[in-house]
Each structure stands twice: as C-alpha cells, then as structure tokens.
Amino acid sequence: MESSKTKGLKITVNKQGSPYYLKVSYPLRFGKFTEIETEDYIFCFDLNNRIKFIQGKKETIGEQFKLNCAADWIYYCVAGYKGVYSFLGEYYLPCFGYAKNPLFDIYSYNTKLFKNIFNAFLKLVQRLEYIIKSDPLNEINQILKAIITVNHSEAIKKRVEEFYKITSGVVTVLPPDCRHVDYEVIPLNITYGCLYNCGFCSVKKGIKFKTRSITDILYDIKRFKTFYSADIANYNSLFLGEHDALNAESKIIIDAAKTAYNKLGFQYSYMKNPMLFLFGSVDSLINAKKELFEALNSLPFYTYINIGMESADNTTFRLLKKPLVSKKIKEAFDNMLLINQKYMNIEITANFVMGDMLSDEHYQSIITLSKSAGKSFYGKGAFYISPLEKSGAPSSYVQKKFLWLKNSCAMPTYIYIIQRL
Ligand code: SF4
C-alpha cells in the first residue's frame, strides 16, 4: 500500500479492504482498490483504475454510490434507517436509475445526492489534471493519468459495449442470493431463455430454452478474463445464466463452474468464500439428478440455486400465465428442503410474487407452503418476495403487505429487488 498527500488529496494505492462480504451498517470496502480522499468525498477505483464507489463525507452519512461493470450507478441508501434490514436482510437499499425502488419510491439519478456526487467527480478529474501537469512522470501521477483516461465517458461507453458483447445484451436479472456478495458476480451464460415464458414476467427474453455449447462457454470465460483484466483479482463469484441454468445438462453446469474457477483464478482472489449462483425452474429442480447435487456440493463454491415458484395457488398461476400447478410447487419445495438438509455447500431459495391484484388465496398458499416445512427446515433456504412491476402498487402497500407476509411465513422471508447487470 502506497499513500501520498498532495494538493489537499490523500491518495492511497493498493488499499486492502475486507476479504469477506460482511453485512455491516457502514460503508465497508472489499478487496483491493485505490482510494482518493478529498475534503468532502471518498472516491474508490478498482484495479483497472475505474471508478467503483463514491461516498460523501458530509452530505449523507453512511450512504454511497457504486458504478457496476455495466455502468449502472447504484445508490446504496439507508432510507432513513427505517428498517431496511427487515425487508432485505441487508443494511442498504439498492436504488437504480433504470427502475423505481418499489419499497421507498426512489430513482437513484433523481436524488440531489447523486447530482452532487457526480459533479464532485468531475471536479476531482480537473484537480487530477492540474496535479499531473506539475510532474507527469511521477509514479502516482501515472495512476492518476490512467484514472482520467479510463473514466472518460467514451471509455465507459466502449467498456459497456464490450461487456454486452460477451453477455449478449443486458443481464436482465441476477438471483436475489447475489446480495451475499454485493452482486459482484461474473455473469457467464450457459443457457439462453427459459421453459415457461410466463405472461407476467418483465425480465424474460421471450425465447425458447437452449443450452449453449461448451466451446462457446469456454470462449466467454477467456473474454471475461480480458475484460476484467487486473481487477479479476477482486472477484471470486460466478453467476451461471441465464434464467434456468439448472435445466442444462449436469456436465455443462459442472464443467463451466470448474473451468471458470480455474481460468479466472478464483483461488487467488483477494476475496474469500467463493460463491456460485444460478436460477432454476420448478421443473428443472424436480428433474435434477442426485449426481448433479453431489458434484455441485464438491465444487470449491458455496452454491445458491434460486427457484421461481411465484405462488402455490392455481388461480394465481392462470392469472400470471405461468404453466404450473400447486402440486408441482409442493414437490419442488419438498425437494428444496431435502437438498438444503443433505448438502452442506448447496442452498436452495424460492421466489414468489406480490401485487395488489393478487388474491388472499395466493398469499395464504405461500404461508401454508412455508408451514409445511415443519421440522424439515434446517436453517437454510429463504423465500424472496418480488413486487410485480405491472402492479404499480404504492410503496406503502408493498411495505405493509410484505411485513404481514414475513410475520406469517415459517421461512426467512425477504423482498427481492430485481437487479440487472
Ligand atoms: S418467470 Fe422465469 S420462467 Fe417465467 S418467463 Fe420469467 S424467467 Fe421465464
């Protein structure tokens, strides 16, 4: 770690943050990064010198903004400390510029804090340009120069295009379990599309399910290595996309996970406890073979599989235009409990929807399902409740209904705020 003070800036290169994604109620940095502290702000840059976090020192204590690798600014809001942890199991409420936060009606780009922080970054760049002029060959000034270059709007645009070339467009949704690694996952598609193409879904691509060839998957791993470059050392978690990777052949799932782990050097990451995330459908969970879970359990990852159940009520399935019935949901839920009990390194969680157009029977079916776990709940697994985008229910409805559901369910229950990449 090298630190220097110049013209009112404190610059620290290769600063070591926490090697664990701890859940804490203050801004904690993870992995290795460069930090520039001014009188009013703290700016953090990744190992490619790209801006990652901006935190105000005076304005809103404890809040910050993050720029993810798809160049979306995410506002880590404490929402007045009004019980964010009860809703999310996290201390921070992620607010995006592309969708309103359903819990507190916040768009990140509309906040005064974002505008101030963005202007502060522009001012920082001007200050860095001035410092470099005085001694362009100085080692730290070389880093400052790189910071200016890679954070130019054109460079960011190019980087996003590169990212979307690998992912074949926007990663429309990440599993809710990715919250355990602050959504810092490498999104490797091993499948495209999904089995059901449900009428209600706002994240589907509307294409038939298909597994990708292992050659294409391995090629993407190589491309990701180049894309993340030096900052790959801050990553150790993988999302196997797209919407139903569990439905791929077992060999593809295991080969993709193992190869990504080795080729992306997760064993050397600054971050500890590597995690693997995938979505599964009710049918893919019911049909998955014991051998797949045995193999997943022996990988160097802790694996989260998130299953889209949505309801356990047949009338609701017809309304959602999802081709499922309650009997199948019960079968999948029982499998989820068994797998969570049997495999130490695998945790299955389930998603359900909420909205003011859904009936009492829908909510009761979720509660009854959760209670059917009885003594089979082994402290693993959770229910995630996703407010339906089309419902447009006011945040007061979402908060009240969710807290009632959380209190009534016999499973750990959280709100699922859909996050893209
Ligand atoms: S809810 Fe899941 S299965 Fe249904 S359309 Fe969306 S992604 Fe596909």
Side-chain angles (χ1 to χ4, degrees), residues 291-344:
E291 292 69 32
L292 170 64
F293 296 109
E294 301 282 344
L296 280 173
N297 198 47
S298 60
L299 289 176
F301 293 102
Y302 186 86
T303 298
Y304 279 99
I305 306 171
N306 180 251
I307 308 294
M309 295 190 182
E310 328 308 353
S311 181
D313 170 56
N314 288 339
T315 311
T316 307
F317 283 128
R318 284 194 289 277
L319 184 79
L320 297 174
K321 296 197 177 93
K322 184 161 187 127
L324 283 177
V325 288
S326 57
K327 213 172 141 204
K328 268 198 174 175
I329 300 296
K330 178 72 177 105
E331 190 182 347
F333 181 63
D334 289 344
N335 284 7
M336 164 179 157
L337 295 173
L338 268 176
I339 292 159
N340 284 347
Q341 178 199 350
K342 192 165 175 196
Y343 300 103
M344 219 171 79

Side-chain angles (χ1 to χ4, degrees), residues 116-330:
N116 291 351
I117 269 182
F118 201 70
N119 286 334
F121 184 59
L122 297 178
K123 276 191 196 141
L124 174 76
V125 169
Q126 287 167 1
R127 286 173 82 173
L128 298 186
E129 279 166 347
Y130 181 73
I131 292 169
I132 294 164
K133 263 188 208 155
S134 63
D135 185 3
L137 295 179
N138 171 298
E139 213 178 310
I140 286 194
N141 287 359
Q142 292 286 316
I143 293 170
L144 304 186
K145 202 172 158 197
I147 285 176
I148 295 170
T149 310
V150 302
N151 292 295
H152 189 276
S153 59
E154 279 306 308
I156 293 178
K157 200 174 146 215
K158 221 173 134 209
R159 175 172 118 216
V160 177
E161 282 167 8
E162 244 177 79
F163 182 73
Y164 285 151
K165 258 191 218 157
I166 312 175
T167 56
S168 299
V170 177
V171 179
T172 55
V173 58
L174 291 170
D177 310 298
C178 293
R179 68 188 176 92
H180 298 303
V181 297
D182 196 28
Y183 293 86
E184 292 290 301
V185 290
I186 293 180
L188 176 67
N189 282 330
I190 62 166
T191 64
Y192 287 133
C194 59
L195 292 183
Y196 310 136
N197 279 305
C198 319
F200 79 96
C201 176
S202 58
V203 297
K204 66 173 181 275
K205 295 221 169 135
I207 49 173
K208 263 178 132 179
F209 177 86
K210 111 170 198 222
T211 304
R212 299 183 70 212
S213 74
I214 194 71
T215 317
D216 288 350
I217 296 167
L218 298 186
Y219 178 55
D220 282 356
I221 293 174
K222 262 193 196 164
R223 296 206 284 177
F224 275 129
K225 195 169 178 188
T226 310
F227 176 82
Y228 286 95
S229 190
D231 201 46
I232 196 75
N234 279 321
Y235 286 82
N236 70 347
S237 294
L238 184 71
F239 163 49
L240 291 182
E242 206 175 28
H243 302 314
D244 193 358
L246 187 63
N247 200 47
E249 298 89 76
S250 305
K251 187 168 163 29
I252 294 269
I253 301 174
I254 300 301
D255 284 357
K258 269 190 190 164
T259 312
Y261 183 89
N262 291 325
K263 298 274 180 204
L264 300 175
F266 284 172
Q267 66 270 47
Y268 309 114
S269 172
Y270 293 127
M271 299 308 297
K272 307 292 171 215
N273 299 347
M275 290 192 192
L276 174 68
F277 302 93
L278 49 155
F279 281 119
S281 62
V282 166
D283 279 283
S284 62
L285 179 60
I286 291 172
N287 295 330
K289 300 266 179 305
K290 188 177 140 219
E291 292 69 32
L292 170 64
F293 296 109
E294 301 282 344
L296 280 173
N297 198 47
S298 60
L299 289 176
F301 293 102
Y302 186 86
T303 298
Y304 279 99
I305 306 171
N306 180 251
I307 308 294
M309 295 190 182
E310 328 308 353
S311 181
D313 170 56
N314 288 339
T315 311
T316 307
F317 283 128
R318 284 194 289 277
L319 184 79
L320 297 174
K321 296 197 177 93
K322 184 161 187 127
L324 283 177
V325 288
S326 57
K327 213 172 141 204
K328 268 198 174 175
I329 300 296
K330 178 72 177 105

